[in-house]
Amino acid sequence: MSTAPACPQCTLENTYADGALWICADCGFEWAAEGGGDAEPLVVRDSNGNVLAAGDTVTVIKDLKVKGSSIPLKQGTVIRNIRLVEDDAEHIEGNSDKIKGLVLKTCFLRKA
């Protein structure tokens, strides 16, 4: 017999593992596998190695072309109130004064 846990949502035992997740075949609910608590927390760093956190202000260090826009991001553009992308230490989300909904690589940013 397998040691698959019961689904926390529907309490049925028709579950299976898919990578780091458990999935219920009956209701489709997904949850993290137990024992994954020893993973290190995600640390997001800028181009200079400074740790970034949600809500920080960053500055663009070189001119960047923006897909879907004719306006480039110039060097020195300030991005306020950044949001960290879950499970991705290389990207952040934010808005400039002229362009909204940007996803930027951290290697082109420095903490302001």
Side-chain angles (χ1 to χ4, degrees):
M1 209 69 195
S2 73
T3 60
C7 176
Q9 185 168 346
C10 68
T11 66
L12 296 175
E13 295 183 4
N14 190 11
T15 60
Y16 61 94
D18 184 21
L21 295 175
W22 284 97
I23 301 173
C24 178
D26 295 314
C27 69
F29 184 70
E30 299 179 1
W31 70 97
E34 297 298 323
D38 54 352
E40 294 183 19
L42 185 67
V43 178
V44 180
R45 297 184 183 271
D46 68 357
S47 62
N48 294 332
N50 299 319
V51 176
L52 296 175
D56 283 347
T57 300
V58 295
T59 305
V60 178
I61 62 171
K62 70 178 261 182
D63 291 353
L64 299 173
K65 293 181 182 178
V66 179
K67 287 184 179 179
S69 175
S70 60
I71 303 169
L73 277 179
K74 297 287 187 177
Q75 179 179 354
T77 301
V78 175
I79 310 293
R80 291 181 173 77
N81 255 351
I82 65 168
R83 293 175 304 279
L84 304 180
V85 176
E86 189 174 325
D87 298 330
D88 190 354
E90 294 186 13
H91 293 90
I92 59 106
E93 297 175 348
N95 299 321
S96 72
D97 293 336
K98 297 181 181 180
I99 305 172
K100 307 297 181 209
L102 292 168
V103 177
L104 299 167
K105 292 191 109 179
T106 56
C107 62
F108 300 118
L109 305 171
R110 69 175 166 83
K111 194 171 184 177

